Amino acid sequence: MSIKVGDQIPEENLIVMTERDGPQGFSLREYCKGKKIVLIGLPGAFTPTCHRNHLPGYLDNYDALKSKGVDEIICFSTNDIFVNSAWIQSLGAAEKVIMLSDSKAEFSKALGTDYSDPFGTSIKTQRFSMYLVDSVIRELFIEQESGQALLSGALNMIDSI
């Protein structure tokens, strides 16, 4: 693992889908300046744990996170931005979560969370969550067990900030 608590978030850009201009570059480091952000990294949109547990836990606890002073919840995966946008729309979460794409896994590699999926189809990011204050990592929770979202889940994040 290359990142740790106290580090600044890497500079590699991600992709966001804008309503007006379509896919655009997104500097997470720049966006986080002066804000408190919960960042969720997950292996893939529409995958069982991501779709049923991980992100839905954050949606269900959106108000609790906001009451803790969180400005934004941001989520990313290595899926392309079109898949990620369709997924976030299917969950009805577009008003609560900024969805980003790391389709070339450059951000994941900079974090040290990248891995080859067991099917050999692509590079994924490990399931994790982090709390960022002014682009600095204050809390970091990386799942050790496949198919779980306990350490990186919303309830653990709420208890930790």
Side-chain angles (χ1 to χ4, degrees):
M1 183 61 49
S2 58
I3 58 159
K4 62 188 179 310
V5 171
D7 289 349
Q8 190 170 42
I9 200 77
E11 288 189 47
E12 281 70 20
N13 279 341
L14 296 148
I15 302 295
V16 66
M17 181 65 79
T18 64
E19 202 170 305
R20 186 176 143 241
D21 297 321
Q24 300 292 310
F26 186 92
S27 170
L28 185 59
R29 183 184 280 188
E30 190 65 33
Y31 187 81
C32 288
K33 287 183 179 176
K35 294 179 183 166
K36 296 176 181 175
I37 304 287
V38 169
L39 177 66
I40 307 159
L42 42 86
F46 295 107
T47 59
T49 303
C50 302
H51 189 71
R52 293 185 204 133
N53 301 83
H54 201 194
L55 188 55
Y58 281 90
L59 299 175
D60 292 345
N61 290 284
Y62 178 83
D63 292 334
L65 287 159
K66 289 299 225 175
S67 75
K68 290 275 196 166
V70 171
D71 294 305
E72 300 280 354
I73 299 171
I74 299 176
C75 182
F76 82 93
S77 79
T78 56
N79 295 106
D80 70 52
I81 194 61
F82 298 100
V83 170
N84 282 348
S85 295
W87 181 51
I88 213 75
Q89 292 295 327
S90 79
L91 292 170
E95 300 301 317
K96 293 182 177 181
V97 176
I98 297 172
M99 190 70 211
L100 303 175
S101 172
D102 181 30
S103 61
K104 294 181 182 176
E106 292 169 350
F107 186 70
S108 298
K109 289 175 185 175
L111 292 173
T113 60
D114 60 302
Y115 72 96
S116 293
D117 77 18
F119 308 108
T121 59
S122 64
I123 297 174
K124 301 290 185 189
T125 197
Q126 287 177 279
R127 183 179 316 286
F128 73 86
S129 63
M130 64 174 69
Y131 179 57
L132 302 166
V133 177
D134 197 25
S135 78
V136 174
I137 301 167
R138 299 290 185 198
E139 298 288 347
L140 174 61
F141 306 104
I142 300 172
E143 291 297 335
Q144 301 303 313
E145 296 291 323
S146 178
Q148 293 194 24
L150 301 174
L151 286 175
S152 62
L155 296 179
N156 191 44
M157 182 62 74
I158 291 166
D159 288 344
S160 299
I161 57 177

